[in-house]
Each structure stands twice: as structure tokens, then as C-alpha cells.
């Protein structure tokens, strides 16, 4: 199938923002300066390098050349081809998109969940979409995902004309398991990681020849920075697959800032079950039912 240009959908005249969440549409409608404040930018910015697994102080910053290990991130570039990307987004656009917070639109393929009450319903859930069958199969070819079986897929549509973004957050751990897997389509962006925990991060002075030199060994820490003042930027190339696990999944919040959406971006995020719903867990039967539905690949957006 020849690659084709995927046109951005018509810019919406309304939004799905609630509470303190805003987008360019509702900000313009309300006029003037909003009475709320956007979260301030972190003081110290570090850049994540996927070939070393380290975060390094940004150029011309107070911590330029200083680094610390940032585990739990796996980035697989060119996970799908341009032709596959085009076909996937075209199939997504044939289904309705629902308005969401902060200028996003969404399509949900998964059970209806009340995370606060820890309850879920399978009513209406028919599985992941058919176009994801090959994506999931391909995931299993990589050691980190060879046993990954998703039970939910959430498509998010970002657009600069709407001021799309997503605030720093941690994904649920009652239902969703160890790995979060996201496929980044149509344009590159940056995933911003932050941590609210007290304490400091120990830094090493990156040796000459970075990033290759960091692979050879670790230098003794000789400087520190407060966790709450750090933001780690993870560059996400177009058509790349990102896996968050461990500390990156459970300790660091992730976000997409408005300034990092420069063109239409579509993200498909896949989630697996937590231990409670896996064999040996107290809700293993429900988990098995969810997997059977999910992996039938007959779904429509909920």
C-alpha cells in the first residue's frame, strides 16, 4: 500500500476540558487570562539517551555534562513502516473520536473501569481493533515484550491548533500491570518525566566521548540535584514504540507538554493486566475473560 498523506481532521469548535484542565479552544472562548495557573516548568532539564539509558543535563544549563542513570525506558525506533502508519491512522479516523481533556481526542478499546471504586464491567467490550493484531504480534518478537498481552488500547489524538497536552500523571496500578507500551504516530514529540518525591539524585560528570563512554563504566557521584526540580525529556521519534517499566513506570510521572506538539500526533497506548488479574491472583478468572475478549481483535471504540 503506497504511503499517503494523512490529513488532520477539522479543528473542533468545542472541547472536553473539565475543572482546571484547559485547551486553546476554551481559553479563547473564555477570553482574558485564565484564573488558574499552568504547572511551572521544572528548574533543571535533562535529556534521556536511549543508547545508554542515562539522562544528561541539557546544554547551557546548570547541569550541562552531568548525568544519572534512568532505568525502565525502552525505545524501539521505526517499529512500523510509513505505509503501516498511514493505514493505521486512516482506520482510526473511520471511527468516531470522543472529546477529551486538555485539547485531546480519544478512542478507548477496553473495559469500563471505575478506578476509585476498583470496579470494572466488560459490557460492550469487544476487543482491541483488528488493525492492532500485527502490532501486538510484532511486540512479541522483542525480549522485553515477548509475554506482553494487552487488554486495553487507548488512542489519543493531539493537535497544535487545539493546544493538546496531557498533565504529569502515573497510570493506575490496580488493574494495569508492569509495562506501559505506546506507539507514536504522525510526528515526533517529547515525553516529559518528573518526580515529586523528596530527596536528591546523585549525578556523575559525563566523561569525554559521551554517550559511548558512559557504557564503559560509571564514575563516582560528585554532585546532586533535588528530585522535585528535575525534568527528564525523552525524545520520541515518529513511528517509535516506547516501553515504560520499573522506576519509569511507578516513580516518575509522564506528560506531554503543549509546546512539544508541533503537528498532528496520534498515540496508541497498550496496557496489560496487574498481578491481581493474572494466574494466581484473586481475580484471575476475570483477567482471563478480559484477555479472551481483548485478543479477539474485533473491537470498536467504547
Amino acid at each position: 500500500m503506497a504511503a499517503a498523506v494523512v490529513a488532520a481532521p477539522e479543528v473542533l469548535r468545542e472541547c472536553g476540558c473539565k475543572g482546571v484542565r484547559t485547551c486553546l479552544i476554551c481559553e479563547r472562548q473564555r477570553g482574558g487570562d485564565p484564573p488558574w495557573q499552568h504547572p511551572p516548568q521544572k528548574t533543571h532539564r535533562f535529556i534521556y539517551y536511549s543508547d545508554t539509558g542515562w539522562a544528561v543535563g541539557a546544554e547551557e544549563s546548570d547541569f550541562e555534562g552531568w548525568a544519572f542513570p534512568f532505568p525502565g525506558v525502552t525505545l524501539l525506533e521505526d517499529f512500523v513502516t510509513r505505509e503501516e502508519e498511514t493505514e493505521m491512522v486512516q482506520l482510526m479516523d473511520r471511527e468516531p473520536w470522543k472529546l477529551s481533556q486538555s485539547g485531546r481526542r480519544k478512542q478507548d478499546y477496553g473495559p469500563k473501569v471505575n478506578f476509585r471504586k476498583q470496579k470494572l464491567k466488560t459490557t460492550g467490550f469487544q476487543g482491541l481493533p483488528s488493525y492492532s493484531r500485527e502490532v501486538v504480534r510484532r511486540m512479541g518478537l522483542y525480549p522485553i515484550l515477548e509475554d506482553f498481552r494487552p487488554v486495553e488500547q487507548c488512542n489519543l489524538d493531539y493537535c497544535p491548533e487545539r493546544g493538546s497536552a496531557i498533565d504529569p500523571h502515573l497510570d493506575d496500578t490496580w488493574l494495569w500491570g508492569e509495562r506501559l507500551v505506546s506507539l507514536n504516530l504522525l510526528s515526533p514529540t517529547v515525553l516529559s518525566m518528573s518526580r515529586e518525591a523528596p530527596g536528591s539524585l546523585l549525578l556523575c560528570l559525563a566523561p569525554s566521548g559521551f554517550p559511548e563512554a558512559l557504557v564503559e563504566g560509571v564514575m563516582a557521584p560528585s554532585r546532586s540535584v533535588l528530585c522535585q526540580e528535575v525534568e527528564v525529556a525523552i525524545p520520541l521519534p515518529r513511528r517509535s514504540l516506547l516501553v515504560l517499566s520499573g522506576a519509569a513506570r511507578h516513580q516518575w510521572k509522564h506528560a506531554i507538554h503543549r509546546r512539544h506538539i508541533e503537528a498532528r500526533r496520534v498515540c496508541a497506548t497498550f496496557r496489560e493486566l496487574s498481578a491481581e488479574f493474572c494466574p494466581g491472583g484473586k481475580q484471575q478468572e476475570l483477567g482471563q475473560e478480559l484477555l479472551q475478549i481483548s485478543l479477539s481483535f474485533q473491537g470498536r471504540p467504547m
Side-chain angles (χ1 to χ4, degrees):
M1 175 179 176
V5 176
V6 178
E10 181 182 356
V11 177
L12 299 175
R13 302 300 179 186
E14 56 181 342
C15 71
C17 297
K18 300 177 182 178
V20 298
R21 304 287 196 276
T22 69
C23 67
L24 286 178
I25 296 171
C26 59
E27 289 169 11
R28 288 167 183 160
Q29 290 174 345
R30 298 176 190 185
D33 294 330
W36 49 87
Q37 295 291 327
H38 293 288
Q41 294 187 30
K42 296 291 183 178
T43 306
H44 305 296
R45 189 167 184 263
F46 288 73
I47 311 298
Y48 176 78
Y49 286 83
S50 60
D51 50 354
T52 65
W54 283 64
V56 182
E59 293 183 3
E60 300 182 2
S61 71
D62 291 342
F63 290 94
E64 179 180 0
W66 293 85
F68 64 95
F70 196 81
V73 178
T74 300
L75 188 65
L76 305 173
E77 297 192 32
D78 296 317
F79 188 78
V80 296
T81 66
R82 287 184 178 272
E83 292 78 11
E84 290 170 331
E85 173 191 53
T86 298
E87 184 175 18
M88 284 185 67
V89 176
Q90 287 177 340
L91 291 171
M92 290 179 186
D93 285 340
R94 291 179 184 175
E95 300 288 354
W97 290 92
K98 291 184 178 180
L99 295 175
S100 187
Q101 301 267 38
S102 303
R104 303 186 306 276
R105 300 190 307 164
K106 67 179 180 179
Q107 295 173 339
D108 287 320
Y109 295 84
K112 294 181 180 179
V113 185
N114 186 320
F115 292 107
R116 184 174 60 85
K117 295 182 178 180
Q118 293 192 345
K119 294 182 178 181
L120 65 85
K121 296 180 180 180
T122 60
T123 306
F125 178 37
Q126 298 176 314
L128 301 189
S130 59
Y131 57 78
S132 292
R133 185 188 295 272
E134 172 58 22
V135 173
V136 173
R137 185 203 67 81
R138 194 172 301 173
M139 290 178 187
L141 301 178
Y142 295 84
I144 192 173
L145 294 173
E146 61 184 359
D147 60 346
F148 183 76
R149 296 191 295 170
V151 293
E152 194 246 15
Q153 176 178 335
C154 179
N155 299 335
L156 292 178
D157 177 64
Y158 294 76
C159 177
E161 289 80 6
R162 297 194 302 266
S164 302
I166 191 165
D167 288 346
H169 66 282
L170 290 172
D171 278 37
D172 168 77
T173 56
W174 164 67
L175 179 59
W176 307 137
E178 172 62 20
R179 292 162 292 190
L180 302 177
V181 181
S182 295
L183 181 61
N184 186 59
L185 302 173
L186 294 187
S187 65
T189 191
V190 175
L191 188 71
S192 297
M193 312 291 288
S194 59
R195 189 174 176 181
E196 300 302 324
S200 300
L201 293 166
L202 298 179
L203 306 178
C204 303
L205 185 61
S208 58
F210 176 84
E212 293 80 4
L214 280 178
V215 179
E216 302 298 328
V218 178
M219 301 179 67
S222 55
R223 197 174 178 186
S224 65
V225 60
L226 293 175
C227 288
Q228 297 178 352
E229 296 182 353
V230 168
E231 182 174 85
V232 177
I234 303 178
L236 300 182
R238 179 176 177 175
R239 303 192 313 281
S240 64
L241 189 80
L242 175 74
V243 183
L244 297 181
S245 62
R249 155 75 165 104
H250 299 288
Q251 298 177 15
W252 290 80
K253 294 182 178 182
H254 54 277
I256 299 286
H257 296 316
R258 182 183 293 182
R259 64 182 180 274
H260 291 142
I261 299 297
E262 300 179 353
R264 187 187 182 197
R265 174 199 183 234
V266 171
C267 173
T269 296
F270 301 83
R271 298 178 175 92
E272 64 183 341
L273 290 170
S274 67
E276 181 173 332
F277 295 85
C278 291
K282 63 181 181 179
Q283 300 203 61
Q284 61 176 344
E285 292 183 1
L286 178 55
Q288 184 60 36
E289 179 185 357
L290 288 170
L291 278 171
Q292 289 178 347
I293 297 172
S294 170
L295 300 181
S296 70
F297 296 100
Q298 298 177 5
R300 296 287 306 278
M302 296 286 289

